[in-house]
Short mmCIF file of all heavy atoms in Angstrom, two decimals:
data_model
loop_
_atom_site.label_atom_id
_atom_site.label_comp_id
_atom_site.label_asym_id
_atom_site.label_seq_id
_atom_site.Cartn_x
_atom_site.Cartn_y
_atom_site.Cartn_z
N TYR A 1 4.01 9.36 1.95
CA TYR A 1 5.07 8.68 2.68
C TYR A 1 6.35 9.51 2.52
O TYR A 1 6.68 9.95 1.42
CB TYR A 1 5.29 7.27 2.12
CG TYR A 1 6.21 6.42 2.97
CD1 TYR A 1 5.69 5.56 3.94
CD2 TYR A 1 7.59 6.47 2.80
CE1 TYR A 1 6.53 4.79 4.72
CE2 TYR A 1 8.43 5.70 3.58
CZ TYR A 1 7.90 4.85 4.54
OH TYR A 1 8.73 4.10 5.31
N GLY A 2 7.05 9.74 3.62
CA GLY A 2 8.27 10.53 3.54
C GLY A 2 8.95 10.61 4.87
O GLY A 2 8.50 10.07 5.90
N LEU A 3 10.09 11.32 4.89
CA LEU A 3 10.85 11.52 6.12
C LEU A 3 10.21 12.65 6.92
O LEU A 3 9.74 13.64 6.37
CB LEU A 3 12.30 11.88 5.80
CG LEU A 3 13.22 10.74 5.34
CD1 LEU A 3 14.61 11.28 5.10
CD2 LEU A 3 13.26 9.61 6.34
N GLY A 4 10.25 12.49 8.25
CA GLY A 4 9.74 13.53 9.12
C GLY A 4 10.65 14.74 9.11
O GLY A 4 11.88 14.62 9.13
N THR A 5 10.06 15.94 9.09
CA THR A 5 10.85 17.17 9.09
C THR A 5 11.65 17.32 10.38
O THR A 5 12.80 17.76 10.36
CB THR A 5 9.91 18.38 8.91
OG1 THR A 5 9.12 18.18 7.75
CG2 THR A 5 10.71 19.66 8.76
N ILE A 6 11.06 16.96 11.50
CA ILE A 6 11.71 17.11 12.80
C ILE A 6 12.43 15.84 13.20
O ILE A 6 13.61 15.86 13.57
CB ILE A 6 10.68 17.50 13.88
CG1 ILE A 6 9.91 18.77 13.44
CG2 ILE A 6 11.36 17.71 15.21
CD1 ILE A 6 10.79 19.97 13.25
N SER A 7 11.72 14.69 13.13
CA SER A 7 12.28 13.43 13.62
C SER A 7 13.29 12.81 12.66
O SER A 7 14.19 12.08 13.07
CB SER A 7 11.15 12.43 13.90
OG SER A 7 10.52 12.07 12.69
N GLY A 8 13.15 13.09 11.37
CA GLY A 8 14.01 12.45 10.38
C GLY A 8 13.70 10.98 10.18
O GLY A 8 14.45 10.26 9.52
N ARG A 9 12.55 10.49 10.72
CA ARG A 9 12.18 9.09 10.59
C ARG A 9 11.10 8.95 9.51
O ARG A 9 10.20 9.80 9.41
CB ARG A 9 11.64 8.53 11.91
CG ARG A 9 12.72 8.41 12.99
CD ARG A 9 12.12 7.92 14.30
NE ARG A 9 11.43 6.66 14.13
CZ ARG A 9 12.03 5.46 14.10
NH1 ARG A 9 13.34 5.39 14.24
NH2 ARG A 9 11.32 4.36 13.95
N PRO A 10 11.17 7.89 8.70
CA PRO A 10 10.16 7.73 7.65
C PRO A 10 8.82 7.29 8.23
O PRO A 10 8.76 6.62 9.27
CB PRO A 10 10.76 6.64 6.76
CG PRO A 10 11.60 5.83 7.69
CD PRO A 10 12.18 6.80 8.68
N GLY A 11 7.77 7.65 7.56
CA GLY A 11 6.44 7.25 7.99
C GLY A 11 5.40 7.68 6.97
O GLY A 11 5.67 8.42 6.02
N LEU A 12 4.19 7.21 7.17
CA LEU A 12 3.05 7.52 6.30
C LEU A 12 2.21 8.59 6.97
O LEU A 12 1.80 8.44 8.11
CB LEU A 12 2.21 6.28 6.04
CG LEU A 12 0.97 6.48 5.17
CD1 LEU A 12 1.35 6.93 3.76
CD2 LEU A 12 0.14 5.20 5.12
N TYR A 13 1.97 9.69 6.24
CA TYR A 13 1.17 10.79 6.75
C TYR A 13 -0.23 10.69 6.15
O TYR A 13 -0.40 10.64 4.93
CB TYR A 13 1.79 12.13 6.38
CG TYR A 13 3.15 12.37 7.00
CD1 TYR A 13 4.31 11.89 6.39
CD2 TYR A 13 3.29 13.04 8.20
CE1 TYR A 13 5.55 12.09 6.96
CE2 TYR A 13 4.52 13.25 8.77
CZ TYR A 13 5.67 12.77 8.15
OH TYR A 13 6.89 12.97 8.72
N LEU A 14 -1.25 10.67 7.03
CA LEU A 14 -2.65 10.60 6.62
C LEU A 14 -3.32 11.90 7.05
O LEU A 14 -3.30 12.23 8.24
CB LEU A 14 -3.35 9.40 7.24
CG LEU A 14 -2.70 8.04 6.93
CD1 LEU A 14 -3.34 6.95 7.78
CD2 LEU A 14 -2.82 7.71 5.46
N ALA A 15 -3.92 12.63 6.11
CA ALA A 15 -4.45 13.96 6.41
C ALA A 15 -5.90 14.05 5.97
O ALA A 15 -6.29 13.49 4.94
CB ALA A 15 -3.63 15.04 5.71
N SER A 16 -6.71 14.77 6.76
CA SER A 16 -8.11 15.06 6.43
C SER A 16 -8.38 16.54 6.69
O SER A 16 -7.95 17.09 7.71
CB SER A 16 -9.08 14.21 7.26
OG SER A 16 -8.99 12.86 6.91
N ARG A 17 -9.08 17.16 5.75
CA ARG A 17 -9.38 18.58 5.89
C ARG A 17 -10.48 18.80 6.93
O ARG A 17 -11.45 18.04 7.01
CB ARG A 17 -9.83 19.14 4.54
CG ARG A 17 -10.02 20.67 4.53
CD ARG A 17 -10.43 21.14 3.15
NE ARG A 17 -11.71 20.61 2.75
CZ ARG A 17 -12.08 20.41 1.50
NH1 ARG A 17 -11.25 20.71 0.52
NH2 ARG A 17 -13.26 19.91 1.22
N VAL A 18 -10.34 19.86 7.73
CA VAL A 18 -11.34 20.25 8.73
C VAL A 18 -12.13 21.41 8.14
O VAL A 18 -11.56 22.44 7.77
CB VAL A 18 -10.66 20.66 10.05
CG1 VAL A 18 -11.73 21.01 11.09
CG2 VAL A 18 -9.76 19.54 10.57
N ASP A 19 -13.45 21.22 8.03
CA ASP A 19 -14.32 22.25 7.43
C ASP A 19 -15.29 22.78 8.46
O ASP A 19 -15.71 22.08 9.38
CB ASP A 19 -15.11 21.66 6.25
CG ASP A 19 -14.20 21.28 5.09
OD1 ASP A 19 -13.19 21.96 4.90
OD2 ASP A 19 -14.52 20.29 4.40
N ASP A 20 -15.65 24.05 8.28
CA ASP A 20 -16.73 24.67 9.04
C ASP A 20 -17.82 25.00 8.03
O ASP A 20 -17.81 26.06 7.42
CB ASP A 20 -16.22 25.91 9.76
CG ASP A 20 -17.30 26.53 10.65
OD1 ASP A 20 -18.39 25.90 10.78
OD2 ASP A 20 -17.08 27.62 11.21
N GLY A 21 -18.75 24.05 7.85
CA GLY A 21 -19.70 24.19 6.75
C GLY A 21 -18.97 24.02 5.44
O GLY A 21 -18.37 22.98 5.16
N ASN A 22 -18.96 25.06 4.60
CA ASN A 22 -18.24 25.02 3.33
C ASN A 22 -16.90 25.75 3.41
O ASN A 22 -16.25 25.97 2.39
CB ASN A 22 -19.09 25.63 2.23
CG ASN A 22 -20.33 24.82 1.95
OD1 ASN A 22 -20.30 23.60 2.04
ND2 ASN A 22 -21.43 25.48 1.61
N THR A 23 -16.49 26.14 4.63
CA THR A 23 -15.25 26.91 4.79
C THR A 23 -14.15 26.03 5.35
O THR A 23 -14.28 25.49 6.45
CB THR A 23 -15.49 28.09 5.74
OG1 THR A 23 -16.56 28.90 5.22
CG2 THR A 23 -14.23 28.94 5.85
N PRO A 24 -13.03 25.83 4.63
CA PRO A 24 -11.92 25.05 5.17
C PRO A 24 -11.26 25.79 6.32
O PRO A 24 -11.02 27.01 6.24
CB PRO A 24 -10.97 24.90 3.97
CG PRO A 24 -11.79 25.24 2.77
CD PRO A 24 -12.80 26.22 3.23
N LEU A 25 -10.98 25.07 7.41
CA LEU A 25 -10.31 25.65 8.57
C LEU A 25 -8.86 25.21 8.68
O LEU A 25 -8.04 25.92 9.24
CB LEU A 25 -11.05 25.27 9.86
CG LEU A 25 -12.50 25.76 9.98
CD1 LEU A 25 -13.11 25.26 11.27
CD2 LEU A 25 -12.54 27.29 9.95
N GLY A 26 -8.55 24.03 8.20
CA GLY A 26 -7.20 23.50 8.34
C GLY A 26 -7.18 22.02 8.03
O GLY A 26 -8.07 21.49 7.36
N VAL A 27 -6.18 21.32 8.58
CA VAL A 27 -5.97 19.90 8.28
C VAL A 27 -5.59 19.17 9.56
O VAL A 27 -4.78 19.68 10.36
CB VAL A 27 -4.86 19.70 7.22
CG1 VAL A 27 -4.56 18.23 7.01
CG2 VAL A 27 -5.28 20.33 5.90
N ALA A 28 -6.19 17.98 9.79
CA ALA A 28 -5.79 17.07 10.87
C ALA A 28 -4.90 15.99 10.27
O ALA A 28 -5.25 15.37 9.27
CB ALA A 28 -7.01 16.46 11.54
N VAL A 29 -3.73 15.77 10.88
CA VAL A 29 -2.72 14.87 10.30
C VAL A 29 -2.32 13.82 11.33
O VAL A 29 -2.17 14.13 12.52
CB VAL A 29 -1.46 15.65 9.86
CG1 VAL A 29 -0.48 14.73 9.14
CG2 VAL A 29 -1.84 16.81 8.96
N LEU A 30 -2.17 12.59 10.86
CA LEU A 30 -1.64 11.50 11.68
C LEU A 30 -0.44 10.89 10.95
O LEU A 30 -0.51 10.63 9.75
CB LEU A 30 -2.70 10.43 11.94
CG LEU A 30 -2.23 9.21 12.74
CD1 LEU A 30 -3.34 8.73 13.68
CD2 LEU A 30 -1.81 8.05 11.83
N LYS A 31 0.66 10.73 11.69
CA LYS A 31 1.84 10.05 11.13
C LYS A 31 1.95 8.68 11.78
O LYS A 31 1.95 8.56 13.00
CB LYS A 31 3.10 10.86 11.40
CG LYS A 31 4.36 10.14 10.89
CD LYS A 31 5.63 10.90 11.26
CE LYS A 31 6.87 10.16 10.77
NZ LYS A 31 8.12 10.83 11.18
N VAL A 32 2.04 7.66 10.94
CA VAL A 32 2.22 6.30 11.44
C VAL A 32 3.52 5.75 10.86
O VAL A 32 3.75 5.79 9.66
CB VAL A 32 1.01 5.39 11.08
CG1 VAL A 32 0.74 5.41 9.59
CG2 VAL A 32 1.26 3.96 11.55
N GLU A 33 4.39 5.30 11.76
CA GLU A 33 5.62 4.63 11.33
C GLU A 33 5.35 3.14 11.26
O GLU A 33 4.79 2.56 12.20
CB GLU A 33 6.75 4.93 12.31
CG GLU A 33 7.11 6.40 12.36
CD GLU A 33 8.20 6.73 13.37
OE1 GLU A 33 8.70 5.79 14.03
OE2 GLU A 33 8.54 7.91 13.50
N LEU A 34 5.70 2.53 10.18
CA LEU A 34 5.32 1.15 9.88
C LEU A 34 6.32 0.14 10.43
O LEU A 34 6.51 -0.94 9.85
CB LEU A 34 5.14 0.98 8.37
CG LEU A 34 4.12 1.93 7.73
CD1 LEU A 34 4.10 1.76 6.22
CD2 LEU A 34 2.73 1.71 8.31
N ASP A 35 6.97 0.47 11.57
CA ASP A 35 7.95 -0.45 12.16
C ASP A 35 7.32 -1.78 12.54
O ASP A 35 7.90 -2.85 12.33
CB ASP A 35 8.61 0.18 13.39
CG ASP A 35 9.41 1.42 13.02
OD1 ASP A 35 9.69 1.60 11.82
OD2 ASP A 35 9.73 2.22 13.92
#
């Protein structure tokens, strides 16, 4: 939970790693503002 770097609005960031077999490729992120 934190402030957005661009928007400056608080929210909860939920992230999951994207793998190709056993090789990490990156991260998929969702920000939800709890308004």
Side-chain angles (χ1 to χ4, degrees):
Y1 190 94
L3 284 181
T5 306
I6 305 299
S7 66
R9 291 177 56 82
L12 178 63
Y13 296 86
L14 303 171
S16 292
R17 187 178 64 207
V18 182
D19 294 327
D20 184 7
N22 294 326
T23 303
L25 298 178
V27 175
V29 186
L30 177 143
K31 177 184 179 183
V32 55
E33 297 178 1
L34 303 176
D35 296 344

